[in-house]
Amino acid sequence: MTRKTYITFALALFAFINAFAQRSEKTINAGWMFKLDTEKSFAWVNIPHTYNLEAYNVRNYYRGKAEYRKTLSIPDYDTDKCYYLRFNAVSKYAEVFVNGTLVAKHPGGYSSFVADITKVAREKNEIIVKVDNSNQDITPLWADFTFWGGIYRDVWLISTPKQHIALNNCGSKGIFVSTPNVNEKDASLNVKVEISNDADKESKLIVRNDIFSPEGKLLQSNDQKIKLKARQTLSAIYKPSKIANPQLWSPESPCLYKIATTIIDDKTGNVLDSQTTKTGLRFFAFDAQKGFMLNGKPYKLRGTNRHQDQWPVGVALDDEAHRRDIQLMKDFGCNFIRIAHYPQDDALLDACDELGLLAWEEIPVIDMVPDNPQYDNNCEENLVEMIRQHYNHTSVIAWGYMNEILLIAPRPGTPEWPSCKERTVRLAQRLEKRLKEEDPYRVSVMAYNMTNTYNEIGLNLIDVTGWNLYSGWYVGKLEDFDKWCIDQHQRYPSRPMIISEWGAGSDRRIHSDAPKAFDFSIEYQQRYIEHYLPFIEEKEWISGCSYWNFIDFNVAERQESMPRVNNKGLFYNDRSPKDVAYYFKAMWRKDIPVVHIATRDWAQRKGEKDKRHNIKVYSNCDEVELLVNGRSYGTKNVENCFATFSIPLDEGRSTLTATGHGQNGESTDVTTIDNRYVSNICNGSELAINVGSNCYFTSSVSNLTWLPDQRYEAGKWGWIDGKQRSTTSEVFNTVDGPIYQTWLEDLTEYRIDAPAGTYEVELLTADFSGKAQQMANLLGRADGRTQEQGNTFAVTICGNTVESSFSPASEGRNMQANKVRYIVENHSNCIEIKLQPKTGKTFLSGIKVRKL
């Protein structure tokens, strides 16, 4: 028999066994009825489903109870079978009733649970699932993401014979494969199979385990006879001979062995149940000096964090969407993912195994531990569920259980601090102990925010320290990141370290030639990343990093430039890449040449005729040449994976071509850019000024570009006085919020030199009186009171008083967008705008001028 024929025979044999096994599994996602607790009537929905899609539009989304109903027919119902419902996730508390009987309660919105419905099932069944995403006994209670409610992952109907692989162990599949000893020469496996006998009499069974190579060759086979009493579940443990010269799993070669487990009736020889488990053989270690090691070699972990939402479905994603995300990460050079901040869909973990991404997975114990013993119990239950359900995923190398757990905790020195510290450390010790009992072969991790208190109070009990660092974004300067990492390494030289979060926000409407922290320009995000990543790559003792975040994701409580969005992603929420994603690709992909002209996020530009535009090209080649409309602007050496060209641009559309050359080959990228000269208001064009801002802003509705502000010079336009101010607070009644979030305060005069004539002048203001309500995650960027209350001022344009007592916040309209247009006569070749305070401050956010 040839090798190919042998493999074909082995696979066909197992397929034959599966065909005659009596387990049946199918999704029952279609045709559910749904209503919120506040509603009277039901509506038809399909699973996956979430009832919080309004979180994309409003801050205070619905947190409360809801109900799902379904009539389930089982036409081949058999009293000699067992029946189960598997819910892959219901957020965040669920009660399941079948035919009026409560069959399951589940606290936790991110892991599977199984309801045994055997005793109540019949041919026609009524299922009711009561859901609550507001339960205060269940983590998370606070977080920088939306707590989506609903049955947002698949629901399965499973039927088995009375004797079957167990389904009663914390939502797991009942099979646990461990690899206690692996090296380049040989590898050992342990296979633990839990078998249930739900019959009323004793059963004698054969548990068969067949091990297949990644190519499908049968390597070992073992039959183990067991005897189960009525209603008994027990474990059969198989320790096969060592596998010689194993094919080691890695992100570059994600080869998976297969263990085919079959349950056979010892008397009749009938196959009762079967499951296939995939596993990879790999060994790894974290070292405080050498970083991460995979299969005995240094290996830098390179990846991102991943939240799971996508407009317009929220977290109710189909499996192919999860697989797509992992493929995108691989395409851009990732070998690692931090699955944040909660267990995610099995399809995602399967893709990590099969496509090759190492993974850190965690439960969502976030920001602070409340004084609630039931909360602690639920956290431990969630941890056990995560580990047992995803135990067999080779990609998982680390289990985590706390993220920034001191973020909103009382500060040291306050009366509340001692009790908070005690319960936090106590819960960490409890979870660490349980984690090691459940899985001694993987490491424990915890993500700290920017304080050494974690080390000082005993929260450094985990194997690997994760640091969430945002110097140069929320706090401090970019260089402070380097200093923090070096200081921690020197102070704790035996502690392995990974940068678990780092990131800066960006808004594709905002651009700057002089970017600065927290302006949300595309260019500052690039600068931030271009500083952090080389440092991480260069330091051997940093095991790696997971950038925050893979995508721009929904946070209903977020405000800033894009309300409802945390916009630090490398990809937009629709999974289209930002230009900066190609910096990662250039840095991490060494197998292919990478050339990307980083202008897609700023493809429509505006500037003076003589302006020189910076054109950045991301590349891993040695040098890059740039052509504009066929004209070469020279060749530049690539440093830190990019080269920047300063070039003029003609008005209109230009074609840019970049070609990179290097040891890894040659690659060319072509794109277009549309440039418009600054408006000549003499011919009726609009001049729009983003007052108080260093950024260009292009409206997503009108496509009008607002220019960055400047000091007045004769023959031009600009401010005479005033102080630049900004806010992270949301602006209401506008889609162009960033225009209003920056302003000049205490402004008394603004000049625009323009020929005499009749003009339309539009002034934009927003009064940010009062205390802002911001998330704790903004750290040093959270506003307090942004302006004085009772701001009233007079407005004079071209010598005429157009407002004698203007109050943008009148009638309680603080934080509201105000636009007022005035028709004025300019007799002096200068449009002079003067503001005179009556009470409080003067301020101005935008000016738009058009000659009539």
Side-chain angles (χ1 to χ4, degrees):
M1 183 182 294
T2 66
R3 181 175 181 272
K4 182 176 181 180
T5 303
Y6 184 89
I7 293 172
T8 302
F9 173 77
L11 293 174
L13 176 62
F14 188 68
F16 174 81
I17 291 172
N18 269 334
F20 284 89
Q22 294 184 27
R23 175 182 289 241
S24 171
E25 297 177 291
K26 72 172 184 178
T27 58
I28 53 170
N29 291 341
W32 289 74
M33 299 290 289
F34 166 81
K35 76 175 186 69
L36 297 176
D37 201 46
T38 56
E39 298 171 337
K40 294 182 179 180
S41 59
F42 284 84
W44 289 104
V45 299
N46 287 337
I47 307 301
H49 175 263
T50 177
Y51 54 79
N52 288 124
L53 293 180
E54 80 277 13
Y56 284 114
N57 300 306
V58 300
R59 188 175 186 183
N60 296 315
Y61 63 98
Y62 179 79
R63 298 193 197 183
K65 296 178 180 179
E67 185 173 308
Y68 293 83
R69 293 185 178 186
K70 180 179 178 62
T71 299
L72 174 65
S73 295
I74 308 177
D76 55 351
Y77 173 74
D78 187 342
T79 56
D80 288 331
K81 290 186 176 181
C82 297
Y83 294 90
Y84 300 88
L85 297 176
R86 176 188 292 278
F87 293 84
N88 281 359
V90 181
S91 182
K92 64 180 179 171
Y93 175 74
E95 293 181 353
V96 181
F97 298 81
V98 175
N99 298 324
T101 299
L102 178 64
V103 294
K105 293 181 179 181
H106 185 254
Y110 304 98
S111 51
S112 299
F113 65 97
V114 176
D116 185 347
I117 65 170
T118 304
K119 293 181 179 179
V120 296
R122 50 194 185 224
E123 287 189 15
K124 187 174 182 180
N125 303 273
E126 299 299 325
I127 303 173
I128 298 176
V129 183
K130 296 183 178 182
V131 185
D132 185 356
N133 68 335
S134 65
N135 191 296
Q136 295 300 297
D137 291 336
I138 303 167
T139 195
L141 301 183
W142 311 273
D144 189 15
F145 57 90
T146 298
F147 301 162
W148 303 89
I151 307 176
Y152 70 95
R153 294 183 193 156
D154 295 328
V155 183
W156 296 80
L157 172 65
I158 303 172
S159 66
T160 69
K162 293 292 186 180
Q163 298 79 25
H164 56 90
I165 298 169
L167 287 162
N168 58 359
N169 187 348
C170 295
S172 72
K173 300 296 179 64
I175 298 174
F176 303 91
V177 178
S178 57
T179 55
N181 295 293
V182 178
N183 56 56
E184 293 178 344
K185 295 181 179 179
D186 54 46
S188 60
L189 286 173
N190 290 341
V191 182
K192 176 183 175 183
V193 183
E194 296 177 340
I195 307 101
S196 292
N197 174 24
D198 289 322
D200 292 324
K201 59 182 179 180
E202 182 181 84
S203 295
K204 295 181 179 180
L205 306 173
I206 298 172
V207 181
R208 176 171 296 162
N209 285 291
D210 296 321
I211 300 176
F212 295 89
S213 72
E215 297 78 19
K217 179 182 178 181
L218 181 63
L219 301 178
Q220 297 184 43
S221 183
N222 173 266
D223 285 359
Q224 183 177 357
K225 293 190 175 184
I226 62 170
K227 183 167 61 175
L228 285 85
K229 298 177 183 178
R231 304 292 175 180
Q232 183 184 21
T233 296
L234 57 76
S235 299
I237 298 176
Y238 169 47
K239 295 183 178 182
S241 302
K242 289 185 176 181
I243 298 173
N245 302 313
Q247 299 181 51
L248 296 179
W249 184 98
S250 70
E252 293 71 31
S253 180
C255 47
L256 295 169
Y257 290 75
K258 295 182 179 65
I259 297 98
T261 302
T262 310
I263 309 300
I264 303 169
D265 187 309
D266 189 27
K267 182 177 181 180
T268 65
N270 291 335
V271 174
L272 302 175
D273 199 3
S274 65
Q275 290 282 350
T276 300
T277 307
K278 297 178 181 179
T279 191
L281 304 176
R282 47 92 179 110
F283 58 102
F284 66 90
F286 284 86
D287 186 272
Q289 301 300 323
K290 297 180 180 180
F292 182 70
M293 311 284 285
L294 179 64
N295 298 329
K297 300 176 182 178
Y299 195 89
K300 185 74 76 172
L301 295 172
R302 298 166 171 147
T304 72
N305 291 264
R306 190 254 189 183
H307 270 298
Q308 62 185 0
D309 81 272
Q310 183 173 349
W311 186 88
V313 298
V315 292
L317 296 177
D318 292 323
D319 287 356
E320 54 267 29
H322 298 293
R323 290 190 286 265
R324 173 212 54 204
D325 284 359
I326 299 304
Q327 185 63 65
L328 282 171
M329 293 180 196
K330 286 287 293 184
D331 291 344
F332 277 77
C334 294
N335 60 28
F336 174 66
I337 179 176
R338 181 182 176 212
I339 302 174
H341 287 299
Y342 38 77
Q344 295 186 20
D345 198 284
D346 288 342
L348 185 99
L349 275 296
D350 289 340
C352 289
D353 293 342
E354 294 164 7
L355 297 176
L357 275 188
L358 294 156
W360 156 345
E361 191 172 30
E362 63 191 34
I363 59 171
V365 184
I366 299 172
D367 290 356
M368 184 175 73
V369 175
D371 187 7
N372 182 341
Q374 188 55 46
Y375 174 91
D376 294 1
N377 295 337
N378 288 333
C379 287
E380 182 174 0
E381 181 177 340
N382 292 167
L383 177 69
V384 171
E385 288 178 336
M386 174 181 69
I387 295 174
R388 294 187 187 181
Q389 289 172 24
H390 292 162
Y391 188 90
N392 296 331
H393 287 288
T394 300
S395 54
V396 178
I397 56 173
W399 303 118
Y401 53 78
M402 283 183 176
N403 178 75
E404 300 181 352
I405 200 59
L406 300 180
L407 183 67
I408 64 172
R411 300 296 93 184
T414 63
E416 298 82 9
W417 167 245
S419 60
C420 180
K421 177 184 73 171
E422 180 184 355
R423 65 176 179 264
T424 302
V425 174
R426 183 172 63 244
L427 179 59
Q429 293 170 339
R430 175 179 175 178
L431 297 178
E432 178 72 14
K433 180 175 182 293
R434 188 60 186 269
L435 186 155
K436 293 302 184 183
E437 292 171 351
E438 291 290 325
D439 187 354
Y441 304 116
R442 293 181 172 96
V443 300
S444 60
V445 286
M446 186 187 298
Y448 304 163
N449 57 299
M450 296 176 285
T451 170
N452 196 51
T453 306
Y454 291 89
N455 288 312
E456 296 167 354
I457 67 172
L459 287 175
N460 55 359
L461 70 171
I462 31 78
D463 297 319
V464 178
T465 296
W467 280 108
N468 297 353
L469 301 176
Y470 291 94
S471 298
W473 183 246
Y474 289 126
V475 296
K477 301 177 182 179
L478 290 172
E479 296 76 15
D480 295 336
F481 166 73
D482 312 14
K483 296 175 183 177
W484 182 276
C485 293
I486 292 170
D487 177 68
Q488 283 295 313
H489 180 58
Q490 291 175 344
R491 294 170 70 178
Y492 304 97
S494 62
R495 302 291 303 169
M497 177 196 304
I498 187 170
I499 309 304
S500 42
E501 288 184 27
W502 57 287
S506 67
D507 182 332
R508 76 173 96 195
R509 303 170 299 172
I510 301 175
H511 298 276
S512 181
D513 295 320
K516 59 185 181 181
F518 230 72
D519 64 10
F520 289 94
S521 68
I522 289 287
E523 291 67 37
Y524 186 78
Q525 185 188 42
Q526 293 175 0
R527 176 180 292 180
Y528 174 99
I529 289 170
E530 291 159 7
H531 176 87
Y532 269 60
L533 192 54
F535 182 88
I536 294 168
E537 290 287 323
E538 291 165 4
K539 302 304 178 186
E540 182 183 26
W541 40 268
I542 297 180
S543 295
C545 71
S546 47
Y547 177 81
W548 188 267
N549 195 277
F550 168 57
I551 54 164
D552 290 352
F553 63 94
N554 175 260
V555 187
E557 294 187 16
R558 278 265 171 179
Q559 300 183 59
E560 302 154 82
S561 79
M562 296 169 60
R564 321 286 84 82
V565 179
N566 185 318
N567 57 11
K568 298 184 184 70
L570 301 182
F571 288 69
Y572 296 105
N573 189 258
D574 66 359
R575 275 52 175 182
S576 59
K578 299 179 183 179
D579 283 324
V580 76
Y582 289 89
Y583 175 68
F584 286 84
K585 188 172 185 177
M587 183 72 77
W588 289 346
R589 289 293 299 266
K590 305 303 181 185
D591 56 326
I592 58 172
V594 175
V595 175
H596 177 81
I597 304 170
T599 59
R600 272 73 165 186
D601 289 329
W602 197 4
Q604 177 182 309
R605 302 202 178 193
K606 197 167 188 176
E608 301 288 349
K609 186 175 182 179
D610 59 353
K611 177 182 178 180
R612 298 188 71 85
H613 296 259
N614 289 327
I615 304 298
K616 183 183 293 183
V617 181
Y618 287 126
S619 180
N620 59 6
C621 297
D622 297 328
E623 59 182 23
V624 171
E625 181 183 17
L626 180 68
L627 282 73
V628 180
N629 297 325
R631 176 186 173 184
S632 176
Y633 281 85
T635 298
K636 291 202 169 188
N637 293 331
V638 174
E639 298 181 3
N640 190 19
C641 289
F642 68 88
T644 302
F645 297 80
S646 179
I647 65 169
L649 284 174
D650 294 334
E651 188 164 35
R653 178 163 294 186
S654 295
T655 299
L656 282 61
T657 304
T659 301
H661 307 271
Q663 296 180 353
N664 54 357
E666 178 180 304
S667 182
T668 297
D669 184 36
V670 180
T671 189
T672 60
I673 192 168
D674 187 70
N675 182 49
R676 301 296 169 189
Y677 294 152
V678 170
S679 305
N680 181 353
I681 57 176
C682 294
N683 61 17
S685 297
E686 292 175 298
L687 172 65
I689 304 167
N690 192 5
V691 176
S693 175
N694 62 305
C695 295
Y696 298 85
F697 174 83
T698 300
S699 171
S700 58
V701 175
S702 67
N703 217 32
L704 178 67
T705 296
W706 297 70
L707 303 176
D709 206 358
Q710 61 189 24
R711 182 186 293 273
Y712 172 75
E713 294 180 17
K716 298 184 179 181
W717 50 266
W719 46 268
I720 301 299
D721 54 13
K723 296 178 291 188
Q724 288 187 333
R725 296 291 304 274
S726 64
T727 181
T728 55
S729 294
E730 181 177 1
V731 186
F732 298 97
N733 292 323
T734 181
V735 294
D736 294 331
I739 299 175
Y740 299 89
Q741 289 174 320
T742 57
W743 65 91
L744 283 177
E745 191 171 89
D746 294 327
L747 174 69
T748 64
E749 186 173 355
Y750 204 101
R751 292 181 183 175
I752 302 168
D753 286 351
T758 304
Y759 288 85
E760 178 185 87
V761 178
E762 184 173 76
L763 303 184
L764 282 67
T765 58
D767 191 327
F768 292 92
S769 300
K771 186 175 179 59
Q773 296 180 350
Q774 296 285 359
M775 299 182 67
N777 304 74
L778 293 186
L779 302 175
R781 298 291 179 178
D783 303 85
R785 185 182 299 275
T786 57
Q787 293 180 1
E788 296 182 8
Q789 291 185 320
N791 298 303
T792 304
F793 48 91
V795 181
T796 301
I797 305 177
C798 295
N800 294 319
T801 300
V802 295
E803 299 282 358
S804 60
S805 185
F806 182 54
S807 178
S810 62
E811 300 178 356
R813 296 187 68 253
N814 60 309
M815 300 186 185
Q816 306 279 332
N818 288 278
K819 282 187 188 180
V820 184
R821 281 179 284 175
Y822 308 93
I823 307 301
V824 300
E825 294 293 333
N826 169 20
H827 299 292
S828 60
N829 295 320
C830 179
I831 300 172
E832 189 176 56
I833 303 168
K834 292 187 176 182
L835 308 182
Q836 181 181 358
K838 299 293 185 179
T839 59
K841 302 283 189 179
T842 63
F843 47 89
L844 193 59
S845 292
I847 302 172
K848 184 159 64 71
V849 178
R850 183 169 67 96
K851 192 173 189 295
L852 300 179

